[in-house]
Amino acid sequence: MDSLKVAVLGAGVVGSQVVRLLTEQKSELAQRVGAPLEVIGVAVRDPKRSRHGVPAELLTTDASSLVAKADIVVEVMGGIQPAKDLILQAIANGASVVTANKALLSREGSDLVLAAEKAGVDLYFEASVAGAIPLLRPIRESLAGDKVNRVMGIVNGTTNYILSKMETEHATYEDVLVQAQDLGYAEADPTADVAGHDAAAKAAILASLAFHTKVTIEDVYCEGITKVTDADIIAAEEMGFVVKLLAVAERMGDDAIVVRVHPTMVPKSHPLANVRDAFNAVFVEAESAGELMFFGRGAGGAPTASAVLGDVVAAARNRVTGGIGPGDSSYAELRKLDISHARTRYYLHIKVADRPGVLAKIAGVFADNDVSIQVLHQDGRGSDASLVIRTHKASDAALAATLSGISKLDVVDSIIGVMRVEGERGE
Ligand SMILES: NC(=O)c1ccc[n+]([C@@H]2O[C@H](COP(=O)([O-])OP(=O)(O)OC[C@H]3O[C@@H](n4cnc5c(N)ncnc54)[C@H](OP(=O)(O)O)[C@@H]3O)[C@@H](O)[C@H]2O)c1
C-alpha cells in the first residue's frame, strides 16, 4: 500500500521524540499499520536550530503547506493559535489529527470534535492527559458500556513533585519550587502548573469523555498549590494524611457533575498517597467495573511521544482499513454545577482563645450549618491554643458558611488552615 504522509507540527520536547520514534521504528510501524508512515515535514518557528533526532531537511516554517499535503497531522506545537486553525485545516482536508494540546482541547475541544465528526476523520488526543498513561482510550472505548461516576487523580507532575518534596524534606513551597526549576521539573514561569491551570485543563478533557458532556476549563473550579504551607503538610502527616493536588470530576445525582482541582488531604493508606515525584495516577470509578487505577509517567518527551505514537498508529490503521475509530460524544449534556455543590470532608486548623466555652461556641457554628464534626483535638495552650477539626462530608457552601461564622466569633483568633479531604470511605 502507498505510504501514509505524516506532518509533525512542532519539534520541541514532544515533537522531536515523535519524529525520532517514527524514524527509528519505521519498519515495525509499517507492519503494525499495514502501510509505511512517511514523515513529510516538521513545522517549527526556527528552522536554523538543530534538533536532536530530527533531520534538518524536514524542518519548515510553512506549517500550512505541510498540513495541506498530509494524511495524518500530529500537532505538538501547543498554544491556541495557530494550532487550532492548522488542525481545522487538516480536518477540512480529510486528514486524521493527533494532538497533545490540552490547553486547546480544554477550551475549544468541542469545535474540533464537531469538525472531525462532520469530516469523518479521526481526532485523537491521548497524550493531552497524563502523558504516557493509557487513560482516554480506556475511558472512551473500554468503559463505553459502563457508567463512569467519578474520576479522581494526580494529573500534574510538577506540583506532585513539589508537594512530595515538601513532605519528605519538610521544606517550604518557595524553596522546593526553586529546586524543581533547577532540576527542570518546573518551568521558569511555573504559573500554569502551580496555579492548577494545567490540571484544570486535563480535568475538563477527562470530564468531557467520562460524562459525555461538553466541559471546558471555564467549568472547572481551580485552586493551585501556591498557598499550601509547610504547616499544612505537617498537620496532614500528624493525622496520617498527605497533601496532593487532585483533579476530581464526579456525578452529582442523575443529571449534573462538578469538576474541581484543589490541594487535598488524602489518607496515607489510599493508593494516590503513594504516587510521588513527577508521576501521575488517575482513579476511575464506574458503576459496573468498580474502581480502576491508571499509573505512570505523566509528562516528558519520550513518554508523551509514546502516547502520540499510539494515536498515530490507531489513526493510520483506520485509514488503511477505511472508516474511523469511536469518536467523542456530548449527548448527555449534564449540568455543570459550581464548587458550592461539591461534597467532601474538610480539615480545619483554628487558632483559638484558651478559655472555657470555646468548644461549645465553635461546635455551635458547625451545627448551625449542618456540618458534622468527625474528629477534633486541641493543640497547644495559652496564646498557642488551636483546634484541629476534621468533618464528615458537607457541601462546599455549608463549609464556606461555617468558616464565615467561625471567623466572626470572639474566641477565634484566626483560621490557620483549611483543606478538603478525599479518599476515605463513607459519609
Ligand atoms: N512536554 C511534555 O511533557 C508534554 C506532556 C503532555 C502534553 N504536552 C503538550 O504537547 C505540546 C508540545 O509540548 P512541548 O513540551 O513539546 O513544547 P515545546 O518544547 O515548547 O515545543 C513546541 C514546538 O512547537 C514549535 N512551534 C510553536 N509555535 C509554533 C508556530 N507558531 N509555528 C511553528 N512551530 C511552532 C516550536 O518551534 P521552535 O522549536 O522553533 O520554537 C517547538 O518546536 C503542548 O501542547 C503540550 O501541552 C507536553
Side-chain angles (χ1 to χ4, degrees):
M1 186 174 170
D2 288 348
S3 62
L4 291 168
K5 296 184 175 62
V6 180
V8 181
L9 310 182
V13 175
V14 180
S16 57
Q17 293 299 314
V18 167
V19 176
R20 179 182 66 79
L21 290 174
L22 282 168
T23 314
E24 284 177 10
Q25 307 191 87
K26 202 175 164 94
S27 61
E28 288 269 332
L29 293 173
Q31 300 287 332
R32 293 176 199 171
V33 167
L37 299 177
E38 182 199 350
V39 180
I40 56 165
V42 181
V44 291
R45 279 177 298 213
D46 177 5
K48 292 201 185 71
R49 199 150 59 79
S50 86
R51 293 146 203 281
H52 190 66
V54 183
E57 63 274 16
L58 287 179
L59 297 176
T60 173
T61 53
D62 189 354
S64 182
S65 298
L66 190 59
V67 165
K69 293 181 278 189
D71 298 306
I72 298 173
V73 172
V74 178
E75 186 277 305
V76 279
M77 60 173 35
I80 306 299
Q81 288 293 7
K84 182 180 179 186
D85 283 349
L86 289 166
I87 289 175
L88 289 174
Q89 182 197 339
I91 289 171
N93 252 2
S96 311
V97 173
V98 174
T99 174
N101 194 334
K102 57 220 159 198
L104 175 60
L105 289 161
S106 66
R107 286 171 180 81
E108 326 240 359
S110 59
D111 288 358
L112 304 181
V113 168
L114 203 68
E117 206 176 282
K118 273 194 187 154
V121 298
D122 285 321
L123 169 69
Y124 287 144
F125 43 88
E126 182 65 61
S128 65
V129 182
I133 307 173
L135 176 63
L136 303 188
R137 186 163 282 114
I139 292 177
R140 182 194 292 118
E141 297 182 26
S142 315
L143 293 171
D146 208 328
K147 179 182 180 190
V148 175
N149 288 323
R150 198 160 197 256
V151 180
M152 174 170 92
I154 296 165
V155 292
N156 182 271
T158 304
T159 47
N160 202 48
Y161 175 86
I162 293 172
L163 292 172
S164 297
K165 288 288 169 211
M166 285 175 74
E167 181 197 337
T168 53
E169 295 176 9
H170 286 190
T172 63
Y173 165 77
E174 288 78 12
D175 287 347
V176 178
L177 175 60
V178 171
Q179 195 187 327
Q181 285 170 319
D182 288 346
L183 291 169
Y185 284 113
E187 304 273 342
D189 177 1
T191 314
D193 292 317
V194 298
H197 303 151
D198 176 80
K202 292 165 179 170
I205 296 169
L206 280 172
S208 300
L209 275 183
F211 303 124
H212 305 279
T213 291
K214 186 173 140 187
V215 181
T216 73
I217 194 167
E218 309 293 332
D219 301 314
V220 182
Y221 171 80
C222 178
E223 196 184 309
I225 64 162
T226 52
K227 291 188 188 132
V228 175
T229 63
D230 34 344
D232 292 330
I233 304 274
I234 291 166
E237 200 170 334
E238 284 173 357
M239 296 185 299
F241 287 71
V242 294
V243 177
K244 296 290 183 193
L245 182 72
L246 291 193
V248 185
E250 60 195 344
R251 285 183 193 272
M252 305 297 294
D254 285 340
D255 67 342
I257 53 171
V258 173
V259 190
R260 52 194 165 93
V261 167
H262 49 71
T264 315
M265 287 190 184
V266 179
K268 281 185 180 167
S269 56
H270 193 280
L272 287 178
N274 295 312
V275 177
R276 293 184 191 280
D277 300 330
F279 280 89
N280 283 192
V282 178
F283 240 77
V284 179
E285 293 172 31
E287 194 98 351
S288 304
E291 291 178 346
L292 304 161
M293 181 158 154
F294 300 84
F295 170 84
R297 292 188 187 280
T304 308
S306 162
V308 170
L309 263 282
D311 281 351
V312 169
V313 168
R317 278 181 181 152
N318 291 341
R319 294 188 82 88
V320 169
T321 53
I324 55 169
D328 303 310
S329 57
S330 54
Y331 70 88
E333 293 180 359
L334 301 182
R335 289 184 301 132
K336 292 156 283 186
L337 303 180
D338 67 40
I339 185 73
S340 67
H341 296 267
R343 282 181 65 78
T344 63
R345 292 184 172 77
Y346 297 88
Y347 146 86
L348 289 91
H349 193 181
I350 308 164
K351 200 159 185 291
V352 292
D354 189 7
R355 62 176 135 101
V358 171
L359 275 184
K361 282 193 177 177
I362 290 179
V365 177
F366 276 81
D368 289 348
N369 290 290
D370 216 11
V371 179
S372 156
I373 293 175
Q374 181 190 19
V375 182
L376 180 151
H377 82 260
Q378 190 169 348
D379 247 7
R381 298 304 306 262
S383 59
D384 282 337
S386 68
L387 290 177
V388 175
I389 296 173
R390 286 212 320 276
T391 74
H392 286 289
K393 276 191 183 166
S395 72
D396 236 71
L399 197 270
T402 307
L403 286 174
S404 159
I406 287 173
S407 60
K408 289 183 192 127
L409 294 177
D410 59 350
V411 294
V412 168
D413 182 76
S414 57
I415 295 169
I416 309 169
V418 181
M419 205 176 282
R420 296 177 184 85
V421 179
E422 290 283 356
E424 291 180 302
R425 296 199 183 270
E427 269 300 299

